PDB file of all heavy atoms in Angstrom:
ATOM      1  N   TYR A   1      -0.536   8.146  -6.112  1.00  0.00           N
ATOM      2  CA  TYR A   1      -0.750   7.347  -4.923  1.00  0.00           C
ATOM      3  C   TYR A   1      -0.652   5.836  -5.219  1.00  0.00           C
ATOM      4  O   TYR A   1       0.316   5.158  -4.857  1.00  0.00           O
ATOM      5  CB  TYR A   1      -2.113   7.654  -4.300  1.00  0.00           C
ATOM      6  CG  TYR A   1      -2.187   8.969  -3.538  1.00  0.00           C
ATOM      7  CD1 TYR A   1      -2.850  10.028  -4.108  1.00  0.00           C
ATOM      8  CD2 TYR A   1      -1.589   9.140  -2.323  1.00  0.00           C
ATOM      9  CE1 TYR A   1      -2.908  11.266  -3.444  1.00  0.00           C
ATOM     10  CE2 TYR A   1      -1.675  10.342  -1.638  1.00  0.00           C
ATOM     11  CZ  TYR A   1      -2.354  11.386  -2.239  1.00  0.00           C
ATOM     12  OH  TYR A   1      -2.428  12.598  -1.530  1.00  0.00           O
ATOM     13  N   TRP A   2      -1.658   5.327  -5.836  1.00  0.00           N
ATOM     14  CA  TRP A   2      -1.837   3.859  -6.032  1.00  0.00           C
ATOM     15  C   TRP A   2      -1.890   3.446  -7.476  1.00  0.00           C
ATOM     16  O   TRP A   2      -2.347   2.335  -7.773  1.00  0.00           O
ATOM     17  CB  TRP A   2      -3.084   3.385  -5.214  1.00  0.00           C
ATOM     18  CG  TRP A   2      -3.232   4.119  -3.920  1.00  0.00           C
ATOM     19  CD1 TRP A   2      -4.197   5.014  -3.617  1.00  0.00           C
ATOM     20  CD2 TRP A   2      -2.340   4.000  -2.797  1.00  0.00           C
ATOM     21  NE1 TRP A   2      -4.004   5.455  -2.286  1.00  0.00           N
ATOM     22  CE2 TRP A   2      -2.866   4.869  -1.817  1.00  0.00           C
ATOM     23  CE3 TRP A   2      -1.191   3.302  -2.539  1.00  0.00           C
ATOM     24  CZ2 TRP A   2      -2.292   5.062  -0.551  1.00  0.00           C
ATOM     25  CZ3 TRP A   2      -0.602   3.456  -1.278  1.00  0.00           C
ATOM     26  CH2 TRP A   2      -1.139   4.339  -0.341  1.00  0.00           C
ATOM     27  N   ASN A   3      -1.490   4.377  -8.362  1.00  0.00           N
ATOM     28  CA  ASN A   3      -1.566   4.116  -9.789  1.00  0.00           C
ATOM     29  C   ASN A   3      -3.001   3.723 -10.243  1.00  0.00           C
ATOM     30  O   ASN A   3      -3.197   2.980 -11.214  1.00  0.00           O
ATOM     31  CB  ASN A   3      -0.590   3.017 -10.183  1.00  0.00           C
ATOM     32  CG  ASN A   3      -0.279   3.040 -11.686  1.00  0.00           C
ATOM     33  OD1 ASN A   3      -0.011   4.052 -12.267  1.00  0.00           O
ATOM     34  ND2 ASN A   3      -0.267   1.879 -12.333  1.00  0.00           N
ATOM     35  N   ASP A   4      -4.027   4.276  -9.528  1.00  0.00           N
ATOM     36  CA  ASP A   4      -5.417   3.964  -9.858  1.00  0.00           C
ATOM     37  C   ASP A   4      -5.692   2.471  -9.934  1.00  0.00           C
ATOM     38  O   ASP A   4      -6.544   1.999 -10.761  1.00  0.00           O
ATOM     39  CB  ASP A   4      -5.848   4.641 -11.161  1.00  0.00           C
ATOM     40  CG  ASP A   4      -5.802   6.175 -11.057  1.00  0.00           C
ATOM     41  OD1 ASP A   4      -5.611   6.685  -9.952  1.00  0.00           O
ATOM     42  OD2 ASP A   4      -6.094   6.819 -12.069  1.00  0.00           O
ATOM     43  N   THR A   5      -5.004   1.751  -9.086  1.00  0.00           N
ATOM     44  CA  THR A   5      -5.124   0.267  -9.098  1.00  0.00           C
ATOM     45  C   THR A   5      -5.404  -0.268  -7.659  1.00  0.00           C
ATOM     46  O   THR A   5      -4.681   0.088  -6.712  1.00  0.00           O
ATOM     47  CB  THR A   5      -3.824  -0.393  -9.624  1.00  0.00           C
ATOM     48  OG1 THR A   5      -3.533   0.132 -10.913  1.00  0.00           O
ATOM     49  CG2 THR A   5      -4.021  -1.909  -9.696  1.00  0.00           C
ATOM     50  N   SER A   6      -6.425  -1.024  -7.499  1.00  0.00           N
ATOM     51  CA  SER A   6      -6.757  -1.512  -6.197  1.00  0.00           C
ATOM     52  C   SER A   6      -5.872  -2.652  -5.754  1.00  0.00           C
ATOM     53  O   SER A   6      -5.332  -3.397  -6.632  1.00  0.00           O
ATOM     54  CB  SER A   6      -8.224  -2.048  -6.149  1.00  0.00           C
ATOM     55  OG  SER A   6      -9.136  -0.975  -6.387  1.00  0.00           O
ATOM     56  N   PRO A   7      -5.651  -2.858  -4.487  1.00  0.00           N
ATOM     57  CA  PRO A   7      -4.845  -3.988  -3.990  1.00  0.00           C
ATOM     58  C   PRO A   7      -5.490  -5.291  -4.400  1.00  0.00           C
ATOM     59  O   PRO A   7      -6.689  -5.383  -4.575  1.00  0.00           O
ATOM     60  CB  PRO A   7      -4.801  -3.816  -2.502  1.00  0.00           C
ATOM     61  CG  PRO A   7      -5.135  -2.397  -2.275  1.00  0.00           C
ATOM     62  CD  PRO A   7      -6.043  -2.003  -3.349  1.00  0.00           C
ATOM     63  N   THR A   8      -4.676  -6.357  -4.482  1.00  0.00           N
ATOM     64  CA  THR A   8      -5.212  -7.719  -4.738  1.00  0.00           C
ATOM     65  C   THR A   8      -4.854  -8.548  -3.491  1.00  0.00           C
ATOM     66  O   THR A   8      -4.321  -8.047  -2.517  1.00  0.00           O
ATOM     67  CB  THR A   8      -4.534  -8.334  -5.983  1.00  0.00           C
ATOM     68  OG1 THR A   8      -3.138  -8.621  -5.640  1.00  0.00           O
ATOM     69  CG2 THR A   8      -4.593  -7.352  -7.159  1.00  0.00           C
ATOM     70  N   SER A   9      -5.187  -9.787  -3.560  1.00  0.00           N
ATOM     71  CA  SER A   9      -4.948 -10.715  -2.469  1.00  0.00           C
ATOM     72  C   SER A   9      -3.477 -10.966  -2.221  1.00  0.00           C
ATOM     73  O   SER A   9      -3.071 -11.520  -1.203  1.00  0.00           O
ATOM     74  CB  SER A   9      -5.683 -12.065  -2.660  1.00  0.00           C
ATOM     75  OG  SER A   9      -5.226 -12.643  -3.853  1.00  0.00           O
ATOM     76  N   SER A  10      -2.606 -10.475  -3.146  1.00  0.00           N
ATOM     77  CA  SER A  10      -1.188 -10.718  -3.002  1.00  0.00           C
ATOM     78  C   SER A  10      -0.317  -9.449  -3.005  1.00  0.00           C
ATOM     79  O   SER A  10       0.680  -9.466  -2.326  1.00  0.00           O
ATOM     80  CB  SER A  10      -0.642 -11.636  -4.093  1.00  0.00           C
ATOM     81  OG  SER A  10      -0.940 -11.068  -5.391  1.00  0.00           O
ATOM     82  N   VAL A  11      -0.766  -8.354  -3.659  1.00  0.00           N
ATOM     83  CA  VAL A  11       0.050  -7.181  -3.790  1.00  0.00           C
ATOM     84  C   VAL A  11      -0.801  -5.895  -3.661  1.00  0.00           C
ATOM     85  O   VAL A  11      -1.984  -5.921  -3.834  1.00  0.00           O
ATOM     86  CB  VAL A  11       0.811  -7.123  -5.154  1.00  0.00           C
ATOM     87  CG1 VAL A  11       1.723  -8.349  -5.351  1.00  0.00           C
ATOM     88  CG2 VAL A  11      -0.170  -7.032  -6.319  1.00  0.00           C
ATOM     89  N   PHE A  12      -0.078  -4.790  -3.339  1.00  0.00           N
ATOM     90  CA  PHE A  12      -0.687  -3.444  -3.496  1.00  0.00           C
ATOM     91  C   PHE A  12       0.162  -2.671  -4.544  1.00  0.00           C
ATOM     92  O   PHE A  12       1.367  -2.999  -4.706  1.00  0.00           O
ATOM     93  CB  PHE A  12      -0.774  -2.723  -2.158  1.00  0.00           C
ATOM     94  CG  PHE A  12       0.508  -2.559  -1.400  1.00  0.00           C
ATOM     95  CD1 PHE A  12       1.380  -1.453  -1.631  1.00  0.00           C
ATOM     96  CD2 PHE A  12       0.906  -3.493  -0.432  1.00  0.00           C
ATOM     97  CE1 PHE A  12       2.524  -1.278  -0.905  1.00  0.00           C
ATOM     98  CE2 PHE A  12       2.112  -3.350   0.252  1.00  0.00           C
ATOM     99  CZ  PHE A  12       2.881  -2.258   0.056  1.00  0.00           C
ATOM    100  N   SER A  13      -0.468  -1.701  -5.214  1.00  0.00           N
ATOM    101  CA  SER A  13       0.196  -1.009  -6.322  1.00  0.00           C
ATOM    102  C   SER A  13       0.609   0.398  -5.908  1.00  0.00           C
ATOM    103  O   SER A  13       0.010   0.986  -4.970  1.00  0.00           O
ATOM    104  CB  SER A  13      -0.756  -0.910  -7.556  1.00  0.00           C
ATOM    105  OG  SER A  13      -1.045  -2.234  -8.030  1.00  0.00           O
ATOM    106  N   LEU A  14       1.643   0.950  -6.592  1.00  0.00           N
ATOM    107  CA  LEU A  14       2.206   2.218  -6.234  1.00  0.00           C
ATOM    108  C   LEU A  14       2.289   3.110  -7.458  1.00  0.00           C
ATOM    109  O   LEU A  14       2.374   2.652  -8.574  1.00  0.00           O
ATOM    110  CB  LEU A  14       3.593   2.069  -5.692  1.00  0.00           C
ATOM    111  CG  LEU A  14       3.782   1.075  -4.466  1.00  0.00           C
ATOM    112  CD1 LEU A  14       5.249   0.817  -4.192  1.00  0.00           C
ATOM    113  CD2 LEU A  14       3.081   1.583  -3.268  1.00  0.00           C
ATOM    114  N   GLY A  15       2.295   4.469  -7.205  1.00  0.00           N
ATOM    115  CA  GLY A  15       2.608   5.429  -8.259  1.00  0.00           C
ATOM    116  C   GLY A  15       4.171   5.571  -8.225  1.00  0.00           C
ATOM    117  O   GLY A  15       4.890   4.715  -7.862  1.00  0.00           O
ATOM    118  N   ASN A  16       4.570   6.801  -8.637  1.00  0.00           N
ATOM    119  CA  ASN A  16       6.000   7.062  -8.749  1.00  0.00           C
ATOM    120  C   ASN A  16       6.450   8.156  -7.777  1.00  0.00           C
ATOM    121  O   ASN A  16       7.571   8.719  -7.982  1.00  0.00           O
ATOM    122  CB  ASN A  16       6.421   7.372 -10.179  1.00  0.00           C
ATOM    123  CG  ASN A  16       5.715   8.634 -10.697  1.00  0.00           C
ATOM    124  OD1 ASN A  16       4.951   9.292  -9.952  1.00  0.00           O
ATOM    125  ND2 ASN A  16       5.985   9.027 -11.905  1.00  0.00           N
ATOM    126  N   HIS A  17       5.708   8.448  -6.764  1.00  0.00           N
ATOM    127  CA  HIS A  17       5.986   9.550  -5.862  1.00  0.00           C
ATOM    128  C   HIS A  17       6.783   9.111  -4.640  1.00  0.00           C
ATOM    129  O   HIS A  17       6.672   7.947  -4.239  1.00  0.00           O
ATOM    130  CB  HIS A  17       4.677  10.190  -5.425  1.00  0.00           C
ATOM    131  CG  HIS A  17       4.800  11.533  -4.840  1.00  0.00           C
ATOM    132  ND1 HIS A  17       5.160  11.758  -3.532  1.00  0.00           N
ATOM    133  CD2 HIS A  17       4.562  12.783  -5.356  1.00  0.00           C
ATOM    134  CE1 HIS A  17       5.159  13.060  -3.259  1.00  0.00           C
ATOM    135  NE2 HIS A  17       4.788  13.686  -4.378  1.00  0.00           N
ATOM    136  N   VAL A  18       7.552  10.063  -4.088  1.00  0.00           N
ATOM    137  CA  VAL A  18       8.283   9.780  -2.891  1.00  0.00           C
ATOM    138  C   VAL A  18       7.479   9.379  -1.701  1.00  0.00           C
ATOM    139  O   VAL A  18       7.972   8.711  -0.756  1.00  0.00           O
ATOM    140  CB  VAL A  18       9.227  10.943  -2.510  1.00  0.00           C
ATOM    141  CG1 VAL A  18       8.365  12.145  -2.032  1.00  0.00           C
ATOM    142  CG2 VAL A  18      10.268  10.609  -1.473  1.00  0.00           C
ATOM    143  N   LEU A  19       6.189   9.675  -1.727  1.00  0.00           N
ATOM    144  CA  LEU A  19       5.297   9.363  -0.588  1.00  0.00           C
ATOM    145  C   LEU A  19       5.227   7.835  -0.337  1.00  0.00           C
ATOM    146  O   LEU A  19       4.993   7.415   0.799  1.00  0.00           O
ATOM    147  CB  LEU A  19       3.919   9.964  -0.748  1.00  0.00           C
ATOM    148  CG  LEU A  19       3.000   9.436  -1.900  1.00  0.00           C
ATOM    149  CD1 LEU A  19       2.147   8.329  -1.411  1.00  0.00           C
ATOM    150  CD2 LEU A  19       2.144  10.574  -2.399  1.00  0.00           C
ATOM    151  N   ASN A  20       5.381   7.060  -1.396  1.00  0.00           N
ATOM    152  CA  ASN A  20       5.334   5.595  -1.177  1.00  0.00           C
ATOM    153  C   ASN A  20       6.274   4.807  -2.105  1.00  0.00           C
ATOM    154  O   ASN A  20       6.381   3.591  -2.006  1.00  0.00           O
ATOM    155  CB  ASN A  20       3.946   5.043  -1.271  1.00  0.00           C
ATOM    156  CG  ASN A  20       3.313   5.272  -2.641  1.00  0.00           C
ATOM    157  OD1 ASN A  20       3.926   5.552  -3.625  1.00  0.00           O
ATOM    158  ND2 ASN A  20       1.975   5.205  -2.649  1.00  0.00           N
ATOM    159  N   ASN A  21       6.975   5.554  -3.040  1.00  0.00           N
ATOM    160  CA  ASN A  21       7.817   4.805  -3.984  1.00  0.00           C
ATOM    161  C   ASN A  21       8.951   5.674  -4.487  1.00  0.00           C
ATOM    162  O   ASN A  21       9.264   5.645  -5.716  1.00  0.00           O
ATOM    163  CB  ASN A  21       6.950   4.330  -5.191  1.00  0.00           C
ATOM    164  CG  ASN A  21       7.693   3.285  -6.002  1.00  0.00           C
ATOM    165  OD1 ASN A  21       8.678   2.693  -5.618  1.00  0.00           O
ATOM    166  ND2 ASN A  21       7.265   3.171  -7.266  1.00  0.00           N
ATOM    167  N   GLY A  22       9.605   6.440  -3.650  1.00  0.00           N
ATOM    168  CA  GLY A  22      10.706   7.282  -4.089  1.00  0.00           C
ATOM    169  C   GLY A  22      11.928   6.423  -4.424  1.00  0.00           C
ATOM    170  O   GLY A  22      12.209   5.423  -3.784  1.00  0.00           O
ATOM    171  N   SER A  23      12.621   6.801  -5.444  1.00  0.00           N
ATOM    172  CA  SER A  23      13.779   6.008  -5.881  1.00  0.00           C
ATOM    173  C   SER A  23      14.797   5.876  -4.777  1.00  0.00           C
ATOM    174  O   SER A  23      15.326   6.881  -4.223  1.00  0.00           O
ATOM    175  CB  SER A  23      14.410   6.673  -7.076  1.00  0.00           C
ATOM    176  OG  SER A  23      15.562   5.947  -7.528  1.00  0.00           O
ATOM    177  N   GLY A  24      15.128   4.635  -4.393  1.00  0.00           N
ATOM    178  CA  GLY A  24      16.132   4.363  -3.386  1.00  0.00           C
ATOM    179  C   GLY A  24      15.714   4.692  -1.977  1.00  0.00           C
ATOM    180  O   GLY A  24      16.520   4.484  -1.034  1.00  0.00           O
ATOM    181  N   LYS A  25      14.447   5.019  -1.795  1.00  0.00           N
ATOM    182  CA  LYS A  25      13.990   5.398  -0.466  1.00  0.00           C
ATOM    183  C   LYS A  25      13.437   4.126   0.265  1.00  0.00           C
ATOM    184  O   LYS A  25      12.773   3.339  -0.324  1.00  0.00           O
ATOM    185  CB  LYS A  25      12.912   6.474  -0.503  1.00  0.00           C
ATOM    186  CG  LYS A  25      13.396   7.812  -1.128  1.00  0.00           C
ATOM    187  CD  LYS A  25      14.533   8.403  -0.272  1.00  0.00           C
ATOM    188  CE  LYS A  25      15.009   9.705  -0.830  1.00  0.00           C
ATOM    189  NZ  LYS A  25      16.141  10.293  -0.056  1.00  0.00           N
ATOM    190  N   THR A  26      13.661   4.089   1.567  1.00  0.00           N
ATOM    191  CA  THR A  26      13.181   2.967   2.357  1.00  0.00           C
ATOM    192  C   THR A  26      11.796   3.267   2.877  1.00  0.00           C
ATOM    193  O   THR A  26      11.522   4.320   3.489  1.00  0.00           O
ATOM    194  CB  THR A  26      14.118   2.682   3.543  1.00  0.00           C
ATOM    195  OG1 THR A  26      15.410   2.413   3.035  1.00  0.00           O
ATOM    196  CG2 THR A  26      13.626   1.537   4.393  1.00  0.00           C
ATOM    197  N   MET A  27      10.852   2.348   2.645  1.00  0.00           N
ATOM    198  CA  MET A  27       9.444   2.509   3.041  1.00  0.00           C
ATOM    199  C   MET A  27       9.048   1.461   4.111  1.00  0.00           C
ATOM    200  O   MET A  27       9.505   0.294   3.982  1.00  0.00           O
ATOM    201  CB  MET A  27       8.516   2.358   1.855  1.00  0.00           C
ATOM    202  CG  MET A  27       9.008   3.175   0.595  1.00  0.00           C
ATOM    203  SD  MET A  27       8.564   4.893   0.851  1.00  0.00           S
ATOM    204  CE  MET A  27       9.509   5.634  -0.534  1.00  0.00           C
ATOM    205  N   VAL A  28       8.108   1.849   4.902  1.00  0.00           N
ATOM    206  CA  VAL A  28       7.447   0.842   5.783  1.00  0.00           C
ATOM    207  C   VAL A  28       5.982   0.892   5.398  1.00  0.00           C
ATOM    208  O   VAL A  28       5.398   1.912   5.197  1.00  0.00           O
ATOM    209  CB  VAL A  28       7.654   1.118   7.264  1.00  0.00           C
ATOM    210  CG1 VAL A  28       7.082   2.387   7.670  1.00  0.00           C
ATOM    211  CG2 VAL A  28       7.038  -0.013   8.048  1.00  0.00           C
ATOM    212  N   ALA A  29       5.359  -0.288   5.263  1.00  0.00           N
ATOM    213  CA  ALA A  29       3.967  -0.425   4.922  1.00  0.00           C
ATOM    214  C   ALA A  29       3.211  -1.273   5.924  1.00  0.00           C
ATOM    215  O   ALA A  29       3.646  -2.441   6.186  1.00  0.00           O
ATOM    216  CB  ALA A  29       3.758  -1.023   3.548  1.00  0.00           C
ATOM    217  N   TYR A  30       2.143  -0.765   6.487  1.00  0.00           N
ATOM    218  CA  TYR A  30       1.259  -1.524   7.363  1.00  0.00           C
ATOM    219  C   TYR A  30      -0.020  -1.830   6.563  1.00  0.00           C
ATOM    220  O   TYR A  30      -0.691  -0.889   6.063  1.00  0.00           O
ATOM    221  CB  TYR A  30       0.916  -0.747   8.636  1.00  0.00           C
ATOM    222  CG  TYR A  30       2.107  -0.237   9.378  1.00  0.00           C
ATOM    223  CD1 TYR A  30       2.056   0.955  10.104  1.00  0.00           C
ATOM    224  CD2 TYR A  30       3.263  -1.017   9.475  1.00  0.00           C
ATOM    225  CE1 TYR A  30       3.142   1.440  10.806  1.00  0.00           C
ATOM    226  CE2 TYR A  30       4.368  -0.592  10.235  1.00  0.00           C
ATOM    227  CZ  TYR A  30       4.300   0.642  10.891  1.00  0.00           C
ATOM    228  OH  TYR A  30       5.384   1.137  11.582  1.00  0.00           O
ATOM    229  N   VAL A  31      -0.350  -3.079   6.429  1.00  0.00           N
ATOM    230  CA  VAL A  31      -1.491  -3.466   5.555  1.00  0.00           C
ATOM    231  C   VAL A  31      -2.478  -4.317   6.383  1.00  0.00           C
ATOM    232  O   VAL A  31      -2.107  -5.204   7.092  1.00  0.00           O
ATOM    233  CB  VAL A  31      -0.927  -4.346   4.341  1.00  0.00           C
ATOM    234  CG1 VAL A  31      -2.002  -4.578   3.338  1.00  0.00           C
ATOM    235  CG2 VAL A  31       0.209  -3.566   3.650  1.00  0.00           C
ATOM    236  N   PHE A  32      -3.794  -3.979   6.224  1.00  0.00           N
ATOM    237  CA  PHE A  32      -4.791  -4.564   7.034  1.00  0.00           C
ATOM    238  C   PHE A  32      -5.922  -5.056   6.181  1.00  0.00           C
ATOM    239  O   PHE A  32      -6.314  -4.382   5.203  1.00  0.00           O
ATOM    240  CB  PHE A  32      -5.336  -3.608   8.070  1.00  0.00           C
ATOM    241  CG  PHE A  32      -4.271  -2.980   8.952  1.00  0.00           C
ATOM    242  CD1 PHE A  32      -3.699  -1.775   8.668  1.00  0.00           C
ATOM    243  CD2 PHE A  32      -3.874  -3.654  10.103  1.00  0.00           C
ATOM    244  CE1 PHE A  32      -2.802  -1.220   9.542  1.00  0.00           C
ATOM    245  CE2 PHE A  32      -2.879  -3.102  10.973  1.00  0.00           C
ATOM    246  CZ  PHE A  32      -2.345  -1.891  10.659  1.00  0.00           C
ATOM    247  N   SER A  33      -6.518  -6.220   6.582  1.00  0.00           N
ATOM    248  CA  SER A  33      -7.755  -6.739   5.977  1.00  0.00           C
ATOM    249  C   SER A  33      -8.833  -6.914   6.978  1.00  0.00           C
ATOM    250  O   SER A  33      -8.541  -7.122   8.191  1.00  0.00           O
ATOM    251  CB  SER A  33      -7.408  -8.110   5.294  1.00  0.00           C
ATOM    252  OG  SER A  33      -6.741  -7.958   4.096  1.00  0.00           O
ATOM    253  N   ASN A  34     -10.073  -6.888   6.531  1.00  0.00           N
ATOM    254  CA  ASN A  34     -11.177  -7.231   7.426  1.00  0.00           C
ATOM    255  C   ASN A  34     -11.082  -8.642   7.921  1.00  0.00           C
ATOM    256  O   ASN A  34     -10.753  -9.532   7.138  1.00  0.00           O
ATOM    257  CB  ASN A  34     -12.543  -7.098   6.673  1.00  0.00           C
ATOM    258  CG  ASN A  34     -12.941  -5.681   6.314  1.00  0.00           C
ATOM    259  OD1 ASN A  34     -12.504  -4.711   7.001  1.00  0.00           O
ATOM    260  ND2 ASN A  34     -13.829  -5.510   5.359  1.00  0.00           N
ATOM    261  N   ARG A  35     -11.429  -8.841   9.205  1.00  0.00           N
ATOM    262  CA  ARG A  35     -11.491 -10.148   9.739  1.00  0.00           C
ATOM    263  C   ARG A  35     -12.717 -10.175  10.622  1.00  0.00           C
ATOM    264  O   ARG A  35     -12.907  -9.387  11.548  1.00  0.00           O
ATOM    265  CB  ARG A  35     -10.238 -10.521  10.606  1.00  0.00           C
ATOM    266  CG  ARG A  35      -8.961 -10.691   9.764  1.00  0.00           C
ATOM    267  CD  ARG A  35      -9.108 -11.972   8.845  1.00  0.00           C
ATOM    268  NE  ARG A  35      -7.951 -12.258   8.102  1.00  0.00           N
ATOM    269  CZ  ARG A  35      -7.709 -11.849   6.873  1.00  0.00           C
ATOM    270  NH1 ARG A  35      -8.591 -11.064   6.226  1.00  0.00           N
ATOM    271  NH2 ARG A  35      -6.536 -12.156   6.229  1.00  0.00           N
ATOM    272  N   VAL A  36     -13.631 -11.129  10.307  1.00  0.00           N
ATOM    273  CA  VAL A  36     -14.935 -11.190  11.039  1.00  0.00           C
ATOM    274  C   VAL A  36     -14.727 -11.329  12.525  1.00  0.00           C
ATOM    275  O   VAL A  36     -13.936 -12.155  12.983  1.00  0.00           O
ATOM    276  CB  VAL A  36     -15.771 -12.412  10.462  1.00  0.00           C
ATOM    277  CG1 VAL A  36     -17.005 -12.601  11.308  1.00  0.00           C
ATOM    278  CG2 VAL A  36     -16.087 -12.253   9.013  1.00  0.00           C
ATOM    279  N   GLY A  37     -15.353 -10.436  13.257  1.00  0.00           N
ATOM    280  CA  GLY A  37     -15.277 -10.491  14.689  1.00  0.00           C
ATOM    281  C   GLY A  37     -14.023  -9.820  15.281  1.00  0.00           C
ATOM    282  O   GLY A  37     -13.877  -9.742  16.502  1.00  0.00           O
ATOM    283  N   PHE A  38     -13.139  -9.351  14.436  1.00  0.00           N
ATOM    284  CA  PHE A  38     -11.867  -8.796  14.986  1.00  0.00           C
ATOM    285  C   PHE A  38     -11.504  -7.433  14.420  1.00  0.00           C
ATOM    286  O   PHE A  38     -11.085  -6.519  15.153  1.00  0.00           O
ATOM    287  CB  PHE A  38     -10.700  -9.739  14.650  1.00  0.00           C
ATOM    288  CG  PHE A  38      -9.353  -9.199  15.027  1.00  0.00           C
ATOM    289  CD1 PHE A  38      -8.972  -9.065  16.308  1.00  0.00           C
ATOM    290  CD2 PHE A  38      -8.466  -8.758  14.028  1.00  0.00           C
ATOM    291  CE1 PHE A  38      -7.699  -8.568  16.658  1.00  0.00           C
ATOM    292  CE2 PHE A  38      -7.225  -8.241  14.375  1.00  0.00           C
ATOM    293  CZ  PHE A  38      -6.844  -8.140  15.712  1.00  0.00           C
ATOM    294  N   SER A  39     -11.643  -7.203  13.081  1.00  0.00           N
ATOM    295  CA  SER A  39     -11.276  -5.920  12.528  1.00  0.00           C
ATOM    296  C   SER A  39     -12.239  -5.577  11.357  1.00  0.00           C
ATOM    297  O   SER A  39     -12.724  -6.455  10.666  1.00  0.00           O
ATOM    298  CB  SER A  39      -9.860  -5.907  12.045  1.00  0.00           C
ATOM    299  OG  SER A  39      -9.666  -6.882  11.003  1.00  0.00           O
TER     300      SER A  39
END
C-alpha cells in the first residue's frame, strides 16, 4: 500500500502494487488534510 511510510507535508509514499503504482498505469489521487472549522 504505502511502503509502511506515512505521508509528509510534501509527498505520499507508494508500494509497488497496481492499486496505486502499477508500471505505466495512470493514477488519480485525492489528498486531504485537516483544516480547523472546515474538515
Side-chain angles (χ1 to χ4, degrees):
Y1 284 106
W2 322 112
N3 200 45
D4 293 356
T5 305
S6 297
T8 71
S9 60
S10 58
V11 300
F12 56 89
S13 296
L14 306 171
N16 61 359
H17 196 279
V18 68
L19 65 91
N20 59 21
N21 193 21
S23 179
K25 298 300 182 182
T26 302
M27 311 284 167
V28 61
Y30 305 144
V31 187
F32 303 97
S33 286
N34 288 338
R35 290 295 183 266
V36 175
F38 174 72
S39 62

